[in-house]
Amino acid sequence: MVEEGTERGPATEPLIVNRYNGNGVPSRKSSAITSSLVLGITVAASASFTCGYSGGYSSPAESGIIDELGLSVAEYSVFGSILTIGGMSGAIASGRISDFFGHKITFWILNIFYIMGWLAIAFSKEAWSLYLGRLSLGFGTAVFNYVGPVYVADITPKNLRGGFSSLVQAMTICSISVAYFVGSITYWRILALIESPRWLAKNGRDNEFETSLKCLRGMNADICQEADEIHDYTKNLQRSSGYKILDLFSSKYAYSVIVGVGLMLLQQLGGYKGFAYYANSIFYLAGFPSTTGIIAVAVTQIVMNILGILLIDTSGRRPLLMVSIVGAFFGCFLTGLSFLLQDLHCLEEITPILAFIGILIYMGFYSLGMSGIPWIIMSEIFPVNIKGSAGSLCNLVNWFCSWVVSYTFNFLLQWSSAGTFFIFSSISGLAIIFIAKLVPETKGRTLEEIQASITRGVQ
């Protein structure tokens, strides 16, 4: 146990004192999968599902909302992108909310924003209520984007952390696919209402969730008591450390901040939100049947997500991320090439198929790793004393870049369809170099080992 008056080491050292295995890390059944762990992961996966559903909603609902409410292209672009404005607000607050309230109350906060958002959209008569609903969804989604990966990383043994983290992140992509499927056959108001009752029903499990937080790693009672003390110490450290956002840019934390922020920039500026939010428009411009294309994309994303979950703890984060971004680069380039050939009136009979293949490759390979692994790495690399501030910064950067892409995407397509996808493929090319040169491998290491080695500059 941690005795009163005992002086603690730096926050980058292992938090649990050398008591169990002689190397500063407690003895744990690292491979144990308990019912409490599964329950905790299920709760996080449920929240992740709504994150993706919120993003995927705008593509199948586009024609119905525009026709019924008479929105212009600019107004619908605001609807699509305003999710990210709410996201930026949530990103700024996410680290502080999680540090102050803890995981359980934070998940309750998500419930409130999700339910309000979906109900506002479902019963909208004017554009302003659509925007308010979308803002609410964005705020809740951004808070989860921080607390979800951190929560899963904290409760999961090191040898299972990658797989479980990928499973939770994969629910985001799978829910986009579900939104595509259901939206292709469902009225847009019903599509919104489908989600709100599901969150109301989930609230009945909160008592079980609270119990599951007490001991999620299959530890015995003594170690659980130790973990409770460490949790209290961690919260006190986070509240009393007095770290400001500018302190993140000190040399001590420069490497981890560059990696975290860089991955967030490149994840969004590669164009995924444009593909996801406006897939219907892309297929229409390419001359390919939209419904067929969206369903094919949905199936591909689910398959590639499952593959990513299976591979992440065997291949590692970095190799899987490299394969993912190389595939996304090639798919985006192929999509741009199809539109270029269309503009030049060359091989016009094959350009729709070429665009379809390019989109499938991009969406599939992005789902393999780039969609979720940056969030997993973000949850692993920051020491506890800066985790809240650093997580908020990464979250804010991610949502700002998401807003840039989602708002400008339709206007870029009007400017040049081919040029749009060549720009995004160029950014994916930069991401390949960034990952190859800077991103560390975190597979099979405890959070304390990762954070200590990064802070010391030892890779």
Side-chain angles (χ1 to χ4, degrees):
M1 296 295 177
V2 182
E3 298 179 5
E4 264 185 71
T6 301
E7 190 170 318
R8 302 255 186 188
T12 53
E13 294 177 3
L15 287 175
I16 298 183
V17 181
N18 180 1
R19 169 181 163 178
Y20 303 106
N21 62 9
N23 64 0
V25 180
S27 297
R28 295 172 182 165
K29 296 177 181 179
S30 62
S31 61
I33 300 179
T34 67
S35 59
S36 296
L37 175 60
V38 172
L39 179 60
I41 296 298
T42 300
V43 171
S46 297
S48 181
F49 186 94
T50 292
C51 288
Y53 197 91
S54 301
Y57 176 82
S58 62
S59 182
E62 181 177 1
S63 58
I65 292 176
I66 288 176
D67 292 343
E68 186 170 335
L69 300 185
L71 302 187
S72 65
V73 171
E75 287 173 323
Y76 196 78
S77 292
V78 171
F79 173 71
S81 63
I82 205 168
L83 180 81
T84 60
I85 302 296
M88 283 187 272
S89 302
I92 293 170
S94 59
R96 293 296 181 187
I97 290 174
S98 178
D99 289 347
F100 186 81
F101 291 110
H103 297 313
K104 177 180 180 289
I105 295 177
T106 301
F107 276 97
W108 260 103
I109 292 170
L110 300 184
N111 287 353
I112 294 168
F113 279 94
Y114 283 144
I115 292 168
M116 288 193 308
W118 285 119
L119 290 177
I121 291 172
F123 295 104
S124 290
K125 299 294 184 182
E126 303 287 343
W128 65 267
S129 54
L130 282 175
Y131 298 161
L132 285 178
R134 193 84 164 155
L135 274 171
S136 182
L137 292 177
F139 186 92
T141 298
V143 173
F144 173 78
N145 282 161
Y146 169 72
V147 73
V150 171
Y151 167 63
V152 173
D154 284 346
I155 68 172
T156 311
K158 66 179 182 180
N159 60 315
L160 301 173
R161 193 172 63 237
F164 276 123
S165 296
S166 292
L167 176 62
V168 171
Q169 293 297 323
M171 290 302 294
T172 299
I173 299 297
C174 289
S175 61
I176 293 175
S177 300
V178 170
Y180 286 171
F181 275 128
V182 179
S184 65
I185 58 172
T186 305
Y187 181 45
W188 65 271
R189 295 186 189 274
I190 301 299
L191 188 61
L193 284 173
I194 285 171
E195 200 53 9
S196 111
R198 191 184 66 80
W199 270 96
L200 287 166
K202 189 189 78 65
N203 288 342
R205 298 200 300 267
D206 276 343
N207 288 335
E208 295 175 84
F209 176 45
E210 183 175 20
T211 301
S212 73
L213 294 178
K214 293 179 181 176
C215 184
L216 284 160
R217 288 185 177 172
M219 300 183 288
N220 63 38
D222 288 338
I223 302 178
C224 284
Q225 188 176 351
E226 181 81 0
D228 287 340
E229 289 189 12
I230 295 305
H231 176 68
D232 292 338
Y233 162 70
T234 299
K235 290 182 74 173
N236 290 333
L237 175 64
Q238 290 169 330
R239 291 177 184 177
S240 64
S241 60
Y243 271 85
K244 297 175 182 156
I245 200 76
L246 291 178
D247 295 326
L248 299 177
F249 301 99
S250 65
S251 58
K252 185 177 183 180
Y253 304 117
Y255 178 69
S256 57
V257 169
I258 289 170
V259 171
V261 171
L263 284 174
M264 295 296 120
L265 278 167
L266 295 168
Q267 183 196 49
Q268 292 301 332
L269 292 180
Y272 176 76
K273 285 298 193 296
F275 280 88
Y277 289 4
Y278 306 111
N280 193 62
S281 297
I282 298 171
F283 283 121
Y284 175 79
L285 290 173
F288 193 87
S290 296
T291 301
T292 303
I294 285 174
I295 291 173
V297 166
V299 172
T300 302
Q301 286 186 303
I302 291 172
V303 171
M304 295 299 278
N305 258 296
I306 293 171
L307 183 60
I309 293 168
L310 296 175
L311 291 176
I312 190 167
D313 276 325
T314 54
S315 67
R317 280 68 152 158
R318 197 164 172 271
L320 196 59
L321 202 55
M322 282 295 292
V323 171
S324 174
I325 194 60
V326 168
F329 164 80
F330 179 69
C332 201
F333 183 83
L334 202 60
T335 305
L337 181 62
S338 71
F339 280 105
L340 178 62
L341 292 174
Q342 188 183 78
D343 292 342
L344 296 174
H345 304 288
C346 294
L347 304 174
E348 289 184 301
E349 65 279 4
I350 67 166
T351 55
I353 296 296
L354 193 62
F356 172 67
I357 293 171
I359 293 167
L360 280 189
I361 291 174
Y362 176 87
M363 298 290 271
F365 274 91
Y366 186 95
S367 301
L368 180 68
M370 198 64 187
S371 63
I373 292 178
W375 292 106
I376 296 171
I377 292 176
M378 184 274 292
S379 72
E380 296 173 326
I381 61 175
F382 294 118
V384 67
N385 57 319
I386 65 164
K387 191 180 283 281
S389 298
S392 291
L393 175 63
C394 290
N395 207 355
L396 177 61
V397 168
N398 186 283
W399 278 95
F400 176 75
C401 294
S402 178
W403 171 77
V404 170
V405 172
S406 60
Y407 183 72
T408 62
F409 192 81
N410 272 331
F411 300 108
L412 285 171
L413 284 180
Q414 291 177 351
W415 162 69
S416 170
S417 299
T420 298
F421 295 106
F422 286 142
I423 289 171
F424 291 140
S425 65
S426 299
I427 294 171
S428 295
L430 292 175
I432 294 172
I433 298 171
F434 180 86
I435 293 166
K437 296 292 185 181
L438 291 175
V439 175
E441 179 56 71
T442 60
K443 182 189 82 168
R445 302 164 72 188
T446 66
L447 297 180
E448 294 85 3
E449 290 168 349
I450 295 166
Q451 293 153 11
S453 66
I454 287 178
T455 302
R456 291 194 306 265
V458 179
Q459 297 302 319

